[in-house]
Amino acid sequence: MLKATAFACVYFTDEADRPLQVHATYSPDHPWQLVGGTMDPGERPWETAVRECREETGLTPAGPPRLLASVYGLPGAGWPYSTVGVVFDGGRLTSAQIGSVRLDPEEHDEVRVLPLAEWEALMPPRDFARLRAVARARRTGVAAYFDTWDWGDA
């Protein structure tokens, strides 16, 4: 039987459509991440996204949920399970909202907003490709299907 873990996250931008990400203290292989995390038992994806967003930033995404992307990754040496996830649109944040973000130092030590192209140098290629697909989905209104976020070699 296939074993998988599931996650849900939220894609925020500032008012100039620059992606917001948080810097993970626990993951040197995936340092910059969207706000979100692993689903708890009994949670649905939107519930996970809202809970994780509150825990990680103090922000509560407004609904109704709008799906931007479905993400799939094959297992590998770094993680023994397939990974299935969804990315929801968190909308555009004002500078005041971004300034109000509260990070849990056990998980994240920085929040940053940059033009999409500037994220590429800070992220592994597959992580940036996922971010680019999500940004395109927001821009075009067509949900992305990103099925190469594998745990094998970058």
Side-chain angles (χ1 to χ4, degrees), residues 1-146:
M1 181 177 294
L2 177 68
K3 301 286 186 194
T5 58
F7 70 89
C9 51
V10 181
Y11 176 74
F12 290 111
T13 62
D14 67 359
E15 293 175 306
D17 284 327
R18 297 177 301 181
L20 176 145
Q21 294 197 98
V22 290
H23 186 261
T25 59
Y26 56 86
S27 182
D29 293 336
H30 302 279
W32 289 100
Q33 303 176 356
L34 297 173
V35 176
T38 304
M39 294 175 70
D40 285 344
E43 270 185 333
R44 297 183 187 277
W46 178 245
E47 293 169 331
T48 299
V50 170
R51 175 185 54 78
E52 287 283 345
C53 190
R54 283 185 190 142
E55 290 174 3
E56 293 183 356
T57 66
L59 300 173
T60 301
R66 180 173 170 245
L67 183 67
L68 289 180
S70 171
V71 180
Y72 178 80
L74 291 170
W79 187 250
Y81 304 106
S82 293
T83 304
V84 179
V86 294
V87 181
F88 294 103
D89 191 348
R92 291 173 180 85
L93 300 176
T94 65
S95 56
Q97 288 172 304
I98 294 168
S100 75
V101 168
R102 297 182 324 267
L103 299 176
D104 176 355
E106 299 278 325
E107 287 192 61
H108 303 99
D109 60 3
E110 185 180 353
V111 61
R112 196 179 289 184
V113 176
L114 293 172
L116 181 62
E118 291 183 27
W119 282 112
E120 187 169 14
L122 302 174
M123 302 173 72
R126 267 195 295 253
D127 289 6
F128 178 72
R130 179 182 67 162
L131 179 64
R132 188 178 52 227
V134 170
R136 182 176 36 250
R138 157 82 83 71
R139 189 178 64 254
T140 64
V142 177
Y145 173 65
F146 192 79

